[in-house]
Every structure is written in structure tokens, then in C-alpha cells.
Amino acid sequence: MPMHFDLNDLVAFRTVAELANFRRAADAVHLSQPAFSRRIDKLEEALGVRLLERTTRRVTLTAVGRDFERKVRELLDELDHTLLGIKGAAATRMSEVTVACVPSTVNYYLSRVLHDFHERSPNVRVKLLDAGANEVLATVARGEADFGLNFMGVQEAELEFTAIAEERFVAACRRDHPVARMKRVSWEALQAHDFISVSRSSGNRLLLDQALASVKKRPVAAYETQHVTTALGLVEAGLGVAAVPAMAMPAADHPLLVSVPLVDPVVTRKMGLIRRRSRSLSPAAQQLFDLFLELRRKRRAH
């Protein structure tokens, strides 16, 4: 008996299964919500079973739907791999890869990998969702990004965290600032200078507050920003000194900014790749993911 549904209906089903939300799923496949709902209705009618349980707030898979979703995912992933082998990256069904990342990774890590990826797969567009650590975590967990680059995620049961680098926090200041003449500077010594901090909503702030809990004398913020990149802008403007991850600093030959290692204590953070354990990456996303791992291997070799 012929089945009256097509590949696009399967793609729609897999998308709503991943995102658990009709509106976001419809946006992801560039359909109106009514048109998207008709695709799912048509698929369920053709199969003669209910695949989804829908409420006003959330969409969940039925028992049959969970089994069917796994088989559809395997089928579509195999189709991607087949097309990739025949025609190269230009033939993949997914012409876009979405990566969520904390902004401080862009200069050091992301730009290097994206350069190599574009040379290998020039027809694949990369969409970056640059946001705070908590939002990056949530974006990947919701399935709105293929994977993420973050220093949070180790404790999340539904996410897989692959460490790629460990970095320390440094004091960022202008080259004409008194701290710039030091080989290292303690957290206590920063009390003597105007200090620029990130807000309590920042993942970096949470990490620092935990690491410095036993430090009795800490710098008090004269300015507070949402993101590290904004704090660096204030440093460049001569408004003070900030504690930032080393990865967030511009190149060593920057005309205005310089970094000084922070000590007593030395505070580090572990940067890693995060992805949903239950989600298979498209061939293009997997290729980009693997390039990050390749850069990690190169850094360790040196």
C-alpha cells in the first residue's frame, strides 16, 4: 500500500521532535505554523498512528513516535552521508550549521576553525548565536544550535561536554596603566584601581565568585557590564582594569591593550564543545565539530 507522505514531511517530524515546539520547528524549516501542522497531520494520517502529544506549552513524542523518530533520524542522516559522498558538501540537505558560542571564544578559537571550515566547505553557511554562557547552554539543550562552545555544561545530564582548552583569567589593562608594568598582579592589588566587572548574570561572574570565595580583599567594581567584550571596550577607553579570560584578549601586538597574569589565586576555566546526547549531527555540522577537535590535538602536540 503506498504511503502518502514525502521526505519533507519526515524532515518536519524530526525537527519538531528535536525542538519540542511547533512554532520553532516551523521557523526552522521556513514554513508557516499552519502549513507545518498540516505536514505532521498528513504524516500521522498516512501512518495511521499518533506520533505526537500536543499541549498548549509543549510537544512530546508518543511511544510509537519515539521509536519512529529514531528510525527517521537514522534514515535522514544516512541520506545526508550518501549525498555527501556522491556530490560533496554542496549536496547536503543541511546547507547551514548553527553554532552557539560565548563571545570571548571568537578571536582565539572560533575564527581559526571557521577559516579552515570555509575553505573545505565554501557552500555551507555558518550561523553564530553569540550569547552569555547560560543562554548558550539553553540554546543547545533546546536544539536551536547544532552544538556550542562554552565553559559551562559539564554538569548537564542531557549534554555531552568535550573539553578543548583550559585558560586562566588575566588582568586586562591599557599599556599606559600602572598594572601593565607588572609581571603578575594579585586580586587584592586590583583594589587600588578602578575595576570593571561583568554582572551577576554572567557565567564568568559565577565562576569567579566561586573561585574567590575565600579571598578576603577583592576589587570592588566601579563599572559593571553584561559581557566580557564590553568590559574590554571600557578598558580600552581608559576607564580601568578588568579580569577576563585569556582567550578574550586581542592579539599580543594590540596597540592599546595588554594582559597581566592574575595570581593569589590563579583562576582558570575549562572551555569545551557541548552537544545534545540524543542528537546526531548533520555531515556538515560534524565536519565543523571535528575541526575543533583537530585544533585541540594540534595545540596539545605543541
Side-chain angles (χ1 to χ4, degrees), residues 48-115:
V49 294
R50 180 171 290 280
L51 299 171
L52 302 169
E53 295 290 352
R54 313 169 203 184
T55 68
T56 55
R57 293 186 176 182
R58 188 166 177 81
V59 177
T60 57
L61 293 167
T62 63
V64 174
R66 286 194 296 272
D67 183 59
F68 187 63
E69 188 276 334
R70 178 179 58 79
K71 293 174 180 176
V72 167
R73 176 159 37 89
E74 292 173 354
L75 173 67
L76 294 179
D77 287 344
E78 182 60 32
L79 177 60
D80 270 347
H81 284 289
T82 301
L83 292 175
L84 187 64
I86 295 172
K87 297 182 180 180
T92 59
R93 206 170 28 81
M94 296 285 287
S95 60
E96 180 177 275
V97 177
T98 302
V99 180
C101 65
V102 288
S104 56
T105 63
V106 174
N107 281 341
Y108 186 83
Y109 247 95
L110 206 55
S111 56
R112 298 187 190 187
V113 174
L114 291 182
H115 180 271

Side-chain angles (χ1 to χ4, degrees), residues 3-289:
M3 291 291 185
H4 299 292
F5 62 85
D6 56 31
L7 182 63
N8 288 327
D9 300 330
L10 295 178
V11 172
F13 170 70
R14 185 177 76 165
T15 305
V16 74
E18 289 180 348
L19 299 182
N21 182 282
F22 264 70
R23 179 183 57 78
R24 290 201 298 265
D27 290 342
V29 296
H30 309 294
L31 286 175
S32 67
Q33 193 166 330
F36 185 88
S37 295
R38 286 195 294 272
R39 284 195 180 278
I40 301 301
D41 291 341
K42 184 175 72 168
L43 181 61
E44 289 183 325
E45 184 178 343
L47 295 173
V49 294
R50 180 171 290 280
L51 299 171
L52 302 169
E53 295 290 352
R54 313 169 203 184
T55 68
T56 55
R57 293 186 176 182
R58 188 166 177 81
V59 177
T60 57
L61 293 167
T62 63
V64 174
R66 286 194 296 272
D67 183 59
F68 187 63
E69 188 276 334
R70 178 179 58 79
K71 293 174 180 176
V72 167
R73 176 159 37 89
E74 292 173 354
L75 173 67
L76 294 179
D77 287 344
E78 182 60 32
L79 177 60
D80 270 347
H81 284 289
T82 301
L83 292 175
L84 187 64
I86 295 172
K87 297 182 180 180
T92 59
R93 206 170 28 81
M94 296 285 287
S95 60
E96 180 177 275
V97 177
T98 302
V99 180
C101 65
V102 288
S104 56
T105 63
V106 174
N107 281 341
Y108 186 83
Y109 247 95
L110 206 55
S111 56
R112 298 187 190 187
V113 174
L114 291 182
H115 180 271
D116 291 344
F117 181 71
H118 184 66
E119 286 191 339
R120 301 185 191 192
S121 303
N123 296 315
V124 179
R125 181 174 65 173
V126 179
K127 181 179 179 181
L128 298 180
L129 303 178
D130 48 329
N134 291 312
E135 181 58 27
V136 168
L137 208 64
T139 299
V140 175
R142 292 194 300 260
E144 295 171 6
D146 293 290
F147 62 89
L149 193 59
N150 203 355
F151 55 90
M152 295 173 63
V154 178
Q155 307 297 330
E156 303 297 319
E158 63 186 34
L159 297 179
E160 176 184 297
F161 183 93
T162 304
I164 57 175
E166 187 168 7
E167 58 174 340
R168 69 186 297 168
F169 279 79
V170 298
C173 58
R174 282 175 59 103
R175 292 184 179 276
D176 56 2
H177 193 278
V179 172
R181 296 192 291 271
M182 302 179 181
K183 290 185 178 180
R184 63 189 64 83
V185 61
S186 69
W187 292 92
E188 182 177 342
L190 290 184
Q191 289 185 107
H193 307 282
D194 288 334
F195 186 66
I196 302 163
S197 171
V198 289
S199 70
R200 294 184 183 278
S201 63
S202 165
N204 281 308
R205 175 66 176 272
L206 175 63
L207 189 155
L208 288 175
D209 284 347
Q210 291 174 341
L212 302 176
S214 61
V215 177
K216 294 181 178 179
K217 296 182 178 180
R218 295 166 51 179
V220 178
Y223 306 97
E224 189 174 280
T225 70
Q226 289 289 102
H227 301 292
V228 168
T229 47
T230 307
L232 286 173
L234 297 185
V235 172
E236 191 168 344
L239 295 179
V241 60
V244 303
M247 195 180 291
M249 289 295 297
D253 59 353
H254 191 278
L256 291 178
L257 297 182
V258 65
S259 65
V260 178
L262 274 163
V263 296
D264 301 328
V266 172
V267 182
T268 64
R269 71 175 188 177
K270 190 170 289 186
M271 186 61 60
L273 297 165
I274 56 173
R275 57 185 287 185
R276 286 174 62 181
R277 294 185 186 278
S278 61
R279 180 174 186 175
S280 298
L281 298 179
S282 69
Q286 186 66 57
Q287 184 183 41
L288 180 55
F289 189 92

